[in-house]
Amino acid sequence: MPDTEKYMNTMNLGRDDDNKFGLKLGDICHINGTYVKANGYNYCGYEEFEVPLGARARIIGIKQTNLNGKWDPHTATFGVGDVYVDFELVDHSNPDGTPIRCGNRHVGCFAETSPQFAACPDGSGDIGFLWPESSPSLRWSGMWTSMLGTFNDDFQFTPQKTLDPKQYAGPGNDGTFHEYLTVSSCD
């Protein structure tokens, strides 16, 4: 029988540290990798669950650390480092109805923490990534790609949607969507 009380009490539950990404408790983010698993080793009696790419997760705890922060010799301290979060999935639950929770996960599992994260320029509301043009070796240099897609047998990813952002006008028809995102992401 699952230990629901222990399961629901994640490591950073309710903790709301100021953090370098500006994340807040209650924010809903999207899982950015196919490597995120919940209930590993049948944690607390719940079945292991492979969290799908793009799944929505509500932040229930945030811990800003100095791990991997740069050393400041003037103050003899480490600077702002990695951020860890506890979250529960919005659209998935365990068989007994409890929300699926993950504790103390690196914030890199959220798409919103990537500098390339962007809404689709066609206004559809799809989420994905705007790749810099300065990457000639990148398949999608200067393009917007959806976060969702498929993998072939060689684990090569093909996005569901690929667009040239230069085709779309930015907000207020002031320049292109690509110019708008490039300028706003630097602010």
Side-chain angles (χ1 to χ4, degrees):
M1 181 165 180
D3 184 347
T4 307
E5 185 176 345
K6 179 180 177 185
Y7 182 79
M8 296 300 284
N9 190 21
T10 57
M11 184 180 221
N12 301 309
L13 182 64
R15 186 172 179 163
D16 192 14
D17 290 356
D18 287 335
N19 60 87
K20 64 184 178 183
F21 295 104
L23 297 171
K24 300 285 181 212
L25 288 180
D27 283 355
I28 296 181
C29 296
H30 298 84
I31 300 298
N32 186 30
T34 57
Y35 52 84
V36 178
K37 291 186 177 25
N39 309 336
Y41 307 103
N42 293 328
Y43 182 68
C44 291
Y46 289 101
E47 282 183 35
E48 188 170 294
F49 180 78
E50 290 194 24
V51 180
L53 180 67
R56 296 182 310 150
R58 179 179 300 106
I59 298 174
I60 58 174
I62 305 167
K63 180 180 180 181
Q64 173 69 63
T65 72
N66 63 1
L67 296 171
N68 295 317
K70 291 185 178 177
W71 176 255
D72 183 349
H74 301 294
T75 62
T77 61
F78 284 98
V80 178
D82 294 343
V83 178
Y84 291 87
V85 291
D86 295 357
F87 60 86
E88 63 185 20
L89 299 179
V90 174
D91 302 314
H92 303 278
S93 58
N94 288 304
D96 66 357
T98 59
I100 294 176
R101 287 194 167 175
C102 294
N104 209 38
R105 302 299 176 94
H106 192 277
V107 78
C109 68
F110 289 154
E112 287 78 357
T113 61
S114 168
Q116 285 82 28
F117 181 76
C120 184
D122 69 4
S124 64
D126 293 340
I127 55 174
F129 304 96
L130 179 63
W131 300 102
E133 286 186 328
S134 59
S135 306
S137 62
L138 182 65
R139 262 170 72 186
W140 307 295
S141 180
M143 303 295 278
W144 180 90
T145 60
S146 60
M147 183 166 59
L148 299 179
T150 57
F151 288 92
N152 66 16
D153 293 338
D154 293 327
F155 300 102
Q156 185 177 26
F157 181 73
T158 301
Q160 285 178 349
K161 193 188 256 187
T162 303
L163 298 172
D164 182 352
K166 293 178 184 160
Q167 299 178 57
Y168 298 91
N173 293 323
D174 185 26
T176 67
F177 187 79
H178 184 267
E179 292 165 335
Y180 167 73
L181 285 178
T182 304
V183 170
S184 65
S185 66
C186 296
D187 293 341

